[in-house]
Amino acid sequence: LETAYSPVYGARPLRRFLERHVITTLSKMIIGGSLVDHSMVHISASGGKLTFTSKRKTTVSRSEYEAKRRRRDDDEDEMVLD
């Protein structure tokens, strides 16, 4: 990650880093079937390595969405309003 920015070249190395490490990995996940419609991907960095975690979002009706929003008892589920 430290090599992703250069004072001389600005953000160009960052763009190459993102293409090489993030977009390529996400593309492989899509082709491999581990990413499906409405998936959310969390990318974290530790020890110089990127970790990709995907989670499928749940599609719900407006009334279910509002009820769940009021309860706020399940922070782990991501929702897409249908």
Side-chain angles (χ1 to χ4, degrees):
L1 292 172
E2 291 81 25
T3 61
Y5 175 77
S6 165
V8 176
Y9 296 109
R12 276 183 262 162
L14 178 59
R15 181 179 178 167
R16 281 190 221 109
F17 177 87
L18 291 173
E19 288 173 350
R20 188 173 303 131
H21 298 285
V22 176
I23 295 179
T24 300
T25 302
L26 290 174
S27 299
K28 288 178 181 179
M29 292 173 75
I30 291 169
I31 292 168
S34 59
L35 283 183
V36 295
D37 287 347
H38 303 292
S39 291
M40 179 178 65
V41 178
H42 177 81
I43 304 170
S44 58
S46 179
K49 293 186 177 184
L50 297 177
T51 303
F52 295 76
T53 307
S54 67
K55 182 170 50 170
R56 183 180 168 99
K57 291 185 179 182
T58 307
T59 303
V60 296
S61 68
R62 179 172 286 286
S63 59
E64 290 172 316
Y65 175 81
E66 293 298 331
K68 189 161 193 126
R69 191 168 162 215
R70 283 191 296 271
R71 283 197 320 258
R72 302 258 184 203
D73 63 358
D74 194 0
D75 294 328
E76 203 54 34
D77 286 340
E78 290 292 324
M79 298 183 294
V80 175
L81 186 57
D82 199 16

Coordinates of all heavy atoms in Angstrom, one line a residue:
L1 N 0.8 -1.2 0.0 CA 0.0 0.0 0.0 C 0.9 1.3 0.0 O 0.4 2.3 -0.6 CB -0.9 0.0 1.2 CG -2.0 -1.0 1.2 CD1 -2.8 -1.0 2.6 CD2 -3.0 -0.8 0.1
E2 N 2.0 1.2 0.6 CA 2.9 2.4 0.7 C 3.4 2.8 -0.7 O 3.7 3.9 -1.0 CB 4.1 2.1 1.6 CG 3.7 2.0 3.1 CD 3.2 0.6 3.4 OE1 3.5 -0.4 2.7 OE2 2.4 0.5 4.4
T3 N 3.4 1.8 -1.6 CA 3.9 2.1 -3.0 C 2.8 2.7 -3.9 O 3.1 3.0 -5.0 CB 4.5 0.9 -3.6 OG1 3.4 -0.1 -3.7 CG2 5.7 0.3 -2.8
A4 N 1.6 2.8 -3.3 CA 0.5 3.3 -4.2 C 0.5 4.8 -4.4 O -0.3 5.3 -5.2 CB -0.8 2.9 -3.5
Y5 N 1.3 5.5 -3.7 CA 1.4 7.0 -3.9 C 2.8 7.4 -4.1 O 3.8 6.9 -3.4 CB 0.8 7.7 -2.7 CG 1.0 9.2 -2.9 CD1 0.2 10.0 -3.7 CD2 2.0 9.9 -2.2 CE1 0.4 11.3 -3.9 CE2 2.2 11.3 -2.3 CZ 1.4 12.0 -3.2 OH 1.5 13.3 -3.4
S6 N 3.0 8.3 -5.0 CA 4.4 8.9 -5.3 C 4.3 10.4 -5.4 O 3.4 10.9 -6.1 CB 4.9 8.3 -6.6 OG 6.0 9.0 -7.0
P7 N 5.1 11.1 -4.7 CA 5.1 12.6 -4.8 C 5.4 13.0 -6.2 O 4.9 14.1 -6.7 CB 6.2 13.1 -3.8 CG 6.4 11.9 -2.9 CD 6.0 10.7 -3.6
V8 N 6.2 12.3 -6.9 CA 6.6 12.6 -8.3 C 5.4 12.4 -9.2 O 5.1 13.2 -10.1 CB 7.8 11.8 -8.7 CG1 8.1 12.1 -10.2 CG2 9.0 12.2 -7.8
Y9 N 4.8 11.2 -9.2 CA 3.7 10.8 -10.1 C 2.3 11.0 -9.6 O 1.4 10.7 -10.3 CB 3.9 9.3 -10.5 CG 5.2 9.1 -11.2 CD1 6.3 8.4 -10.6 CD2 5.4 9.6 -12.5 CE1 7.5 8.2 -11.3 CE2 6.6 9.4 -13.2 CZ 7.6 8.7 -12.5 OH 8.8 8.5 -13.2
G10 N 2.2 11.5 -8.4 CA 0.8 11.7 -7.8 C 0.0 10.5 -7.6 O 0.5 9.5 -7.1
A11 N -1.2 10.5 -8.1 CA -2.1 9.3 -7.9 C -2.0 8.2 -8.9 O -2.7 7.2 -8.8 CB -3.6 9.9 -7.8
R12 N -1.2 8.4 -10.0 CA -1.1 7.4 -11.0 C -0.7 6.0 -10.5 O -1.3 5.0 -10.8 CB -0.1 7.8 -12.1 CG -0.8 8.7 -13.1 CD 0.1 9.1 -14.2 NE 0.6 10.4 -13.9 CZ 1.7 11.0 -14.4 NH1 2.4 10.3 -15.3 NH2 2.1 12.2 -14.0
P13 N 0.3 5.9 -9.5 CA 0.6 4.6 -9.0 C -0.6 4.1 -8.2 O -0.8 2.9 -8.1 CB 1.8 4.9 -8.1 CG 2.4 6.1 -8.6 CD 1.3 7.0 -9.2
L14 N -1.4 4.9 -7.6 CA -2.6 4.5 -6.8 C -3.6 3.8 -7.8 O -4.1 2.8 -7.5 CB -3.2 5.6 -6.1 CG -4.5 5.3 -5.3 CD1 -4.2 4.3 -4.2 CD2 -5.0 6.6 -4.7
R15 N -3.8 4.5 -8.9 CA -4.7 3.9 -9.9 C -4.2 2.5 -10.4 O -5.0 1.6 -10.4 CB -4.8 4.8 -11.1 CG -5.8 4.3 -12.1 CD -6.0 5.2 -13.3 NE -6.8 4.6 -14.3 CZ -7.4 5.2 -15.2 NH1 -7.1 6.5 -15.4 NH2 -8.1 4.6 -16.1
R16 N -2.9 2.4 -10.6 CA -2.4 1.1 -11.0 C -2.5 0.1 -9.9 O -2.8 -1.1 -10.2 CB -0.9 1.2 -11.4 CG -0.8 1.8 -12.8 CD 0.7 1.7 -13.3 NE 1.0 3.0 -14.0 CZ 1.7 3.9 -13.6 NH1 2.4 3.8 -12.4 NH2 1.9 5.0 -14.3
F17 N -2.3 0.5 -8.7 CA -2.4 -0.4 -7.5 C -3.9 -0.9 -7.4 O -4.1 -2.1 -7.3 CB -2.0 0.3 -6.2 CG -2.2 -0.5 -5.0 CD1 -1.2 -1.4 -4.6 CD2 -3.4 -0.5 -4.3 CE1 -1.4 -2.2 -3.5 CE2 -3.6 -1.3 -3.2 CZ -2.6 -2.1 -2.8
L18 N -4.8 0.0 -7.6 CA -6.2 -0.4 -7.5 C -6.6 -1.4 -8.6 O -7.3 -2.4 -8.4 CB -7.1 0.8 -7.5 CG -7.1 1.7 -6.3 CD1 -7.9 3.0 -6.5 CD2 -7.5 1.0 -5.0
E19 N -6.2 -1.1 -9.8 CA -6.5 -1.9 -10.9 C -5.8 -3.3 -10.7 O -6.5 -4.3 -10.9 CB -5.9 -1.3 -12.2 CG -6.7 -0.2 -12.7 CD -6.1 0.5 -13.9 OE1 -5.0 0.2 -14.3 OE2 -6.8 1.4 -14.5
R20 N -4.6 -3.4 -10.3 CA -3.9 -4.6 -10.2 C -4.4 -5.5 -9.0 O -4.5 -6.7 -9.1 CB -2.4 -4.3 -10.0 CG -1.5 -5.6 -10.0 CD 0.0 -5.3 -10.0 NE 0.3 -4.4 -11.1 CZ 1.0 -3.3 -11.0 NH1 1.5 -2.9 -9.8 NH2 1.3 -2.5 -12.0
H21 N -4.7 -4.8 -7.9 CA -5.0 -5.6 -6.7 C -6.5 -5.7 -6.3 O -7.0 -6.7 -5.9 CB -4.2 -5.0 -5.5 CG -2.8 -5.1 -5.6 ND1 -2.1 -6.3 -5.5 CD2 -1.9 -4.2 -6.0 CE1 -0.8 -6.1 -5.7 NE2 -0.6 -4.8 -6.0
V22 N -7.2 -4.6 -6.6 CA -8.6 -4.6 -6.2 C -9.5 -5.0 -7.3 O -10.3 -6.0 -7.2 CB -9.1 -3.2 -5.7 CG1 -10.6 -3.1 -5.4 CG2 -8.3 -2.8 -4.4
I23 N -9.4 -4.4 -8.5 CA -10.3 -4.7 -9.6 C -10.0 -6.1 -10.1 O -11.0 -6.9 -10.4 CB -10.1 -3.7 -10.7 CG1 -10.7 -2.3 -10.2 CG2 -10.9 -4.1 -12.0 CD1 -10.6 -1.2 -11.1
T24 N -8.8 -6.6 -10.2 CA -8.5 -7.9 -10.6 C -9.1 -9.0 -9.6 O -9.7 -9.9 -10.1 CB -7.0 -8.1 -10.7 OG1 -6.5 -7.2 -11.7 CG2 -6.6 -9.6 -11.1
T25 N -8.9 -8.7 -8.3 CA -9.5 -9.7 -7.4 C -11.0 -9.7 -7.4 O -11.6 -10.8 -7.4 CB -9.0 -9.3 -5.9 OG1 -7.6 -9.3 -5.9 CG2 -9.6 -10.3 -4.9
L26 N -11.6 -8.5 -7.5 CA -13.1 -8.5 -7.6 C -13.6 -9.2 -8.9 O -14.6 -9.9 -8.9 CB -13.6 -7.1 -7.6 CG -13.5 -6.3 -6.3 CD1 -13.9 -4.9 -6.4 CD2 -14.3 -7.0 -5.2
S27 N -12.9 -9.0 -10.0 CA -13.2 -9.7 -11.3 C -13.1 -11.2 -11.1 O -14.0 -11.9 -11.6 CB -12.3 -9.2 -12.4 OG -12.4 -7.8 -12.6
K28 N -12.1 -11.7 -10.5 CA -12.0 -13.1 -10.2 C -13.1 -13.6 -9.3 O -13.6 -14.8 -9.5 CB -10.6 -13.4 -9.6 CG -9.5 -13.3 -10.6 CD -8.1 -13.5 -9.9 CE -7.0 -13.3 -10.9 NZ -5.7 -13.6 -10.3
M29 N -13.5 -12.8 -8.3 CA -14.6 -13.3 -7.5 C -15.9 -13.4 -8.2 O -16.7 -14.3 -8.0 CB -14.7 -12.3 -6.3 CG -13.6 -12.3 -5.3 SD -13.6 -11.0 -4.0 CE -14.9 -11.7 -3.0
I30 N -16.1 -12.4 -9.1 CA -17.4 -12.5 -10.0 C -17.3 -13.7 -10.9 O -18.3 -14.4 -10.9 CB -17.5 -11.2 -10.8 CG1 -17.8 -10.0 -9.9 CG2 -18.6 -11.3 -11.8 CD1 -17.7 -8.6 -10.5
I31 N -16.2 -13.9 -11.6 CA -16.1 -15.0 -12.5 C -16.2 -16.3 -11.7 O -16.8 -17.3 -12.2 CB -14.8 -14.9 -13.3 CG1 -14.9 -13.8 -14.3 CG2 -14.5 -16.2 -14.1 CD1 -13.6 -13.4 -14.9
G32 N -15.6 -16.4 -10.5 CA -15.6 -17.6 -9.7 C -17.0 -17.9 -9.1 O -17.2 -18.9 -8.5
G33 N -17.9 -16.9 -9.1 CA -19.2 -17.1 -8.5 C -19.4 -16.8 -7.1 O -20.4 -17.0 -6.5
S34 N -18.3 -16.2 -6.5 CA -18.4 -15.9 -5.0 C -19.1 -14.5 -4.8 O -19.5 -14.2 -3.7 CB -17.1 -16.0 -4.3 OG -16.2 -15.1 -4.9
L35 N -19.3 -13.7 -5.9 CA -20.0 -12.5 -5.8 C -21.3 -12.6 -6.7 O -21.2 -13.0 -7.8 CB -19.2 -11.3 -6.4 CG -18.1 -10.7 -5.5 CD1 -17.5 -9.5 -6.1 CD2 -18.7 -10.4 -4.1
V36 N -22.4 -12.4 -6.1 CA -23.7 -12.5 -6.8 C -24.3 -11.1 -6.7 O -23.8 -10.2 -6.1 CB -24.6 -13.5 -6.2 CG1 -24.0 -14.9 -6.3 CG2 -24.8 -13.3 -4.7
D37 N -25.5 -10.9 -7.4 CA -26.2 -9.7 -7.4 C -26.4 -9.2 -6.0 O -26.7 -10.0 -5.1 CB -27.6 -9.8 -8.1 CG -27.5 -10.0 -9.6 OD1 -26.4 -9.7 -10.1 OD2 -28.5 -10.3 -10.2
H38 N -26.3 -7.9 -5.8 CA -26.5 -7.2 -4.5 C -25.5 -7.6 -3.4 O -25.8 -7.6 -2.2 CB -27.9 -7.4 -4.0 CG -28.9 -6.9 -5.0 ND1 -29.1 -5.6 -5.3 CD2 -29.8 -7.6 -5.8 CE1 -30.1 -5.5 -6.2 NE2 -30.5 -6.7 -6.5
S39 N -24.3 -8.1 -3.8 CA -23.3 -8.4 -2.8 C -22.6 -7.1 -2.4 O -22.5 -6.1 -3.1 CB -22.3 -9.3 -3.4 OG -22.8 -10.6 -3.6
M40 N -22.1 -7.1 -1.1 CA -21.3 -6.0 -0.6 C -19.9 -6.6 -0.3 O -19.9 -7.7 0.3 CB -22.0 -5.5 0.6 CG -21.2 -4.3 1.2 SD -21.9 -3.6 2.7 CE -21.9 -5.0 3.8
V41 N -18.9 -5.9 -0.7 CA -17.5 -6.4 -0.4 C -16.9 -5.4 0.5 O -16.9 -4.2 0.3 CB -16.7 -6.5 -1.7 CG1 -15.3 -7.0 -1.4 CG2 -17.4 -7.5 -2.7
H42 N -16.3 -6.0 1.6 CA -15.5 -5.2 2.5 C -14.0 -5.6 2.3 O -13.7 -6.7 2.3 CB -15.9 -5.6 4.0 CG -15.1 -4.9 5.0 ND1 -15.3 -3.6 5.4 CD2 -14.0 -5.3 5.7 CE1 -14.4 -3.2 6.3 NE2 -13.6 -4.2 6.5
I43 N -13.2 -4.5 2.1 CA -11.8 -4.7 1.8 C -11.0 -4.2 3.0 O -11.2 -3.0 3.3 CB -11.4 -4.1 0.5 CG1 -12.2 -4.6 -0.7 CG2 -9.9 -4.3 0.2 CD1 -12.0 -3.8 -2.0
S44 N -10.2 -5.0 3.6 CA -9.4 -4.5 4.7 C -7.9 -4.8 4.4 O -7.6 -5.7 3.6 CB -9.8 -5.2 6.0 OG -9.7 -6.6 5.9
A45 N -7.0 -4.0 5.0 CA -5.6 -4.2 4.8 C -4.9 -4.4 6.1 O -5.2 -3.8 7.1 CB -5.0 -2.9 4.1
S46 N -4.0 -5.4 6.1 CA -3.3 -5.8 7.3 C -2.0 -6.4 6.9 O -2.0 -7.4 6.1 CB -4.1 -6.7 8.2 OG -3.4 -7.0 9.4
G47 N -0.9 -6.0 7.4 CA 0.4 -6.6 7.1 C 0.7 -6.6 5.7 O 1.4 -7.5 5.2
G48 N 0.3 -5.5 5.0 CA 0.6 -5.4 3.6 C -0.2 -6.2 2.6 O 0.1 -6.2 1.5
K49 N -1.2 -6.9 3.2 CA -2.1 -7.7 2.3 C -3.5 -7.2 2.4 O -4.0 -6.7 3.4 CB -2.1 -9.2 2.8 CG -0.7 -9.8 2.6 CD -0.8 -11.3 2.9 CE 0.5 -11.9 2.6 NZ 0.5 -13.4 2.8
L50 N -4.3 -7.4 1.3 CA -5.7 -7.0 1.3 C -6.5 -8.2 1.5 O -6.2 -9.3 1.0 CB -6.0 -6.4 -0.1 CG -5.3 -5.1 -0.5 CD1 -5.8 -4.7 -1.9 CD2 -5.7 -4.0 0.5
T51 N -7.6 -8.1 2.3 CA -8.5 -9.2 2.5 C -9.9 -8.7 2.0 O -10.3 -7.6 2.3 CB -8.6 -9.5 4.0 OG1 -7.3 -9.8 4.5 CG2 -9.5 -10.6 4.3
F52 N -10.5 -9.6 1.2 CA -11.8 -9.3 0.6 C -12.9 -10.2 1.3 O -12.7 -11.4 1.3 CB -11.8 -9.6 -0.9 CG -10.9 -8.7 -1.6 CD1 -9.5 -8.9 -1.6 CD2 -11.4 -7.7 -2.4 CE1 -8.7 -8.0 -2.3 CE2 -10.6 -6.8 -3.1 CZ -9.2 -7.0 -3.0
T53 N -13.9 -9.6 1.9 CA -15.0 -10.3 2.5 C -16.3 -9.9 1.8 O -16.6 -8.7 1.8 CB -15.1 -10.0 4.0 OG1 -13.8 -10.3 4.6 CG2 -16.1 -10.9 4.7
S54 N -17.0 -10.9 1.3 CA -18.3 -10.5 0.6 C -19.5 -11.0 1.4 O -19.4 -12.0 2.1 CB -18.3 -11.1 -0.8 OG -18.4 -12.5 -0.7
K55 N -20.6 -10.3 1.3 CA -21.8 -10.6 2.0 C -22.9 -10.2 1.1 O -22.9 -9.1 0.5 CB -21.9 -9.8 3.3 CG -23.1 -10.1 4.1 CD -23.0 -9.5 5.5 CE -22.6 -8.1 5.5 NZ -22.8 -7.5 6.9
R56 N -23.9 -11.1 0.9 CA -25.1 -10.8 0.1 C -26.0 -9.9 0.8 O -26.3 -10.1 2.0 CB -25.8 -12.1 -0.3 CG -26.9 -11.9 -1.3 CD -27.5 -13.2 -1.6 NE -28.8 -13.0 -2.3 CZ -28.9 -13.0 -3.6 NH1 -27.9 -13.3 -4.4 NH2 -30.1 -12.8 -4.2
K57 N -26.5 -8.9 0.2 CA -27.5 -8.0 0.7 C -28.9 -8.7 0.6 O -29.2 -9.4 -0.3 CB -27.6 -6.6 0.0 CG -26.3 -5.8 0.2 CD -26.5 -4.5 -0.4 CE -25.3 -3.6 -0.2 NZ -25.4 -2.3 -0.8
T58 N -29.8 -8.3 1.6 CA -31.1 -8.9 1.6 C -32.1 -7.8 1.0 O -32.0 -6.7 1.3 CB -31.5 -9.1 3.0 OG1 -30.5 -10.0 3.6 CG2 -32.9 -9.8 3.1
T59 N -32.9 -8.3 0.1 CA -33.9 -7.4 -0.5 C -35.2 -7.6 0.3 O -35.7 -8.7 0.5 CB -34.2 -7.8 -2.0 OG1 -33.0 -7.7 -2.7 CG2 -35.2 -6.8 -2.6
V60 N -35.8 -6.4 0.7 CA -37.0 -6.5 1.6 C -38.0 -5.5 1.1 O -37.7 -4.5 0.3 CB -36.7 -6.2 3.0 CG1 -35.8 -7.2 3.6 CG2 -36.0 -4.8 3.2
S61 N -39.3 -5.6 1.5 CA -40.3 -4.7 1.2 C -40.1 -3.4 2.0 O -39.4 -3.4 3.0 CB -41.7 -5.2 1.4 OG -41.9 -5.4 2.8
R62 N -40.8 -2.3 1.6 CA -40.6 -1.1 2.3 C -41.1 -1.2 3.8 O -40.4 -0.7 4.7 CB -41.5 0.1 1.7 CG -41.3 1.4 2.5 CD -42.0 2.5 1.7 NE -41.2 3.0 0.6 CZ -40.1 3.7 0.7 NH1 -39.5 4.0 1.9 NH2 -39.5 4.2 -0.4
S63 N -42.2 -1.9 4.1 CA -42.6 -2.1 5.5 C -41.6 -2.9 6.3 O -41.4 -2.5 7.4 CB -44.0 -2.7 5.5 OG -44.0 -4.0 4.9
E64 N -41.1 -3.9 5.7 CA -40.0 -4.7 6.4 C -38.8 -3.8 6.7 O -38.2 -3.9 7.7 CB -39.6 -5.9 5.6 CG -40.7 -7.0 5.5 CD -40.3 -8.1 4.6 OE1 -39.8 -7.8 3.4 OE2 -40.5 -9.3 4.9
Y65 N -38.4 -3.0 5.7 CA -37.3 -2.2 5.8 C -37.5 -1.2 6.9 O -36.6 -1.0 7.8 CB -37.0 -1.4 4.5 CG -35.9 -0.4 4.5 CD1 -34.6 -0.8 4.4 CD2 -36.2 0.9 4.7 CE1 -33.6 0.1 4.5 CE2 -35.2 1.9 4.7 CZ -33.9 1.5 4.6 OH -32.9 2.4 4.7
E66 N -38.6 -0.5 7.0 CA -38.9 0.4 8.0 C -38.9 -0.2 9.4 O -38.4 0.3 10.4 CB -40.2 1.2 7.8 CG -40.2 2.0 6.5 CD -39.2 3.2 6.6 OE1 -38.9 3.7 7.7 OE2 -38.7 3.6 5.6
A67 N -39.5 -1.4 9.5 CA -39.6 -2.1 10.8 C -38.2 -2.5 11.3 O -37.8 -2.3 12.4 CB -40.5 -3.4 10.7
K68 N -37.4 -3.0 10.4 CA -36.0 -3.4 10.7 C -35.2 -2.2 11.1 O -34.4 -2.2 12.0 CB -35.4 -4.1 9.6 CG -34.1 -4.7 9.9 CD -33.7 -5.8 9.0 CE -32.6 -6.6 9.5 NZ -32.8 -8.0 9.6
R69 N -35.4 -1.1 10.4 CA -34.7 0.2 10.7 C -35.0 0.7 12.1 O -34.1 1.2 12.8 CB -35.0 1.2 9.6 CG -34.2 2.4 9.6 CD -34.4 3.2 8.4 NE -34.0 4.5 8.6 CZ -34.5 5.6 8.2 NH1 -35.6 5.6 7.4 NH2 -34.0 6.8 8.4
R70 N -36.3 0.6 12.4 CA -36.7 1.0 13.8 C -36.1 0.1 14.9 O -35.7 0.6 15.9 CB -38.2 1.0 13.9 CG -38.9 2.2 13.2 CD -40.3 2.3 13.6 NE -41.1 1.2 13.1 CZ -41.7 1.1 11.9 NH1 -41.6 2.1 11.1 NH2 -42.4 0.1 11.6
R71 N -36.0 -1.2 14.6 CA -35.5 -2.1 15.6 C -34.0 -2.0 15.8 O -33.5 -2.1 16.9 CB -35.9 -3.6 15.2 CG -37.3 -4.0 15.5 CD -37.5 -5.5 15.5 NE -36.7 -6.1 14.4 CZ -37.2 -6.6 13.3 NH1 -38.5 -6.4 13.0 NH2 -36.4 -7.2 12.4
R72 N -33.3 -1.9 14.7 CA -31.8 -1.8 14.7 C -31.2 -2.9 15.5 O -30.2 -2.7 16.2 CB -31.4 -0.5 15.3 CG -31.9 0.7 14.6 CD -30.8 1.3 13.8 NE -31.3 2.5 13.2 CZ -30.8 3.0 12.1 NH1 -29.8 2.4 11.5 NH2 -31.2 4.1 11.6
D73 N -31.9 -4.1 15.5 CA -31.3 -5.2 16.3 C -30.4 -6.1 15.6 O -29.8 -7.0 16.1 CB -32.5 -6.0 16.9 CG -33.3 -6.7 15.9 OD1 -33.1 -6.5 14.7 OD2 -34.3 -7.4 16.2
D74 N -30.3 -5.9 14.3 CA -29.4 -6.8 13.5 C -28.5 -6.0 12.6 O -28.7 -5.8 11.4 CB -30.3 -7.7 12.6 CG -29.6 -8.9 12.0 OD1 -28.3 -9.0 12.3 OD2 -30.2 -9.7 11.3
D75 N -27.5 -5.4 13.2 CA -26.5 -4.6 12.4 C -25.8 -5.3 11.3 O -25.3 -4.6 10.4 CB -25.5 -4.0 13.4 CG -26.2 -3.0 14.4 OD1 -27.2 -2.4 14.1 OD2 -25.7 -3.0 15.5
E76 N -25.7 -6.6 11.3 CA -24.9 -7.3 10.4 C -25.6 -7.4 9.0 O -24.9 -7.6 8.0 CB -24.6 -8.7 11.0 CG -23.4 -9.4 10.4 CD -22.1 -8.6 10.5 OE1 -22.0 -7.9 11.5 OE2 -21.3 -8.8 9.6
D77 N -26.9 -7.4 8.9 CA -27.5 -7.5 7.6 C -27.5 -6.2 6.8 O -27.9 -5.1 7.4 CB -29.0 -8.0 7.8 CG -29.1 -9.4 8.2 OD1 -28.1 -10.2 7.9 OD2 -30.1 -9.8 8.7
E78 N -27.2 -6.2 5.6 CA -27.3 -5.1 4.7 C -28.6 -5.3 3.9 O -29.0 -6.4 3.5 CB -26.1 -5.0 3.8 CG -24.9 -4.6 4.5 CD -24.9 -3.2 5.0 OE1 -25.5 -2.4 4.3 OE2 -24.3 -3.0 6.1
M79 N -29.3 -4.2 3.6 CA -30.6 -4.3 2.9 C -30.6 -3.4 1.7 O -30.0 -2.3 1.7 CB -31.7 -3.9 3.9 CG -31.8 -4.8 5.1 SD -33.2 -4.3 6.1 CE -32.7 -2.7 6.7
V80 N -31.3 -3.9 0.7 CA -31.6 -3.1 -0.5 C -33.1 -2.9 -0.6 O -33.8 -3.9 -0.5 CB -31.1 -3.8 -1.8 CG1 -31.5 -3.0 -3.0 CG2 -29.6 -4.0 -1.7
L81 N -33.6 -1.7 -0.6 CA -35.0 -1.4 -0.7 C -35.5 -1.9 -2.1 O -35.0 -1.4 -3.1 CB -35.3 0.0 -0.4 CG -36.7 0.4 -0.3 CD1 -37.4 -0.4 0.8 CD2 -36.9 1.9 0.0
D82 N -36.5 -2.7 -2.1 CA -37.1 -3.3 -3.3 C -38.0 -2.3 -4.0 O -38.7 -1.5 -3.4 CB -37.9 -4.5 -2.9 CG -38.1 -5.4 -4.1 OD1 -37.4 -5.2 -5.2 OD2 -38.9 -6.3 -4.0

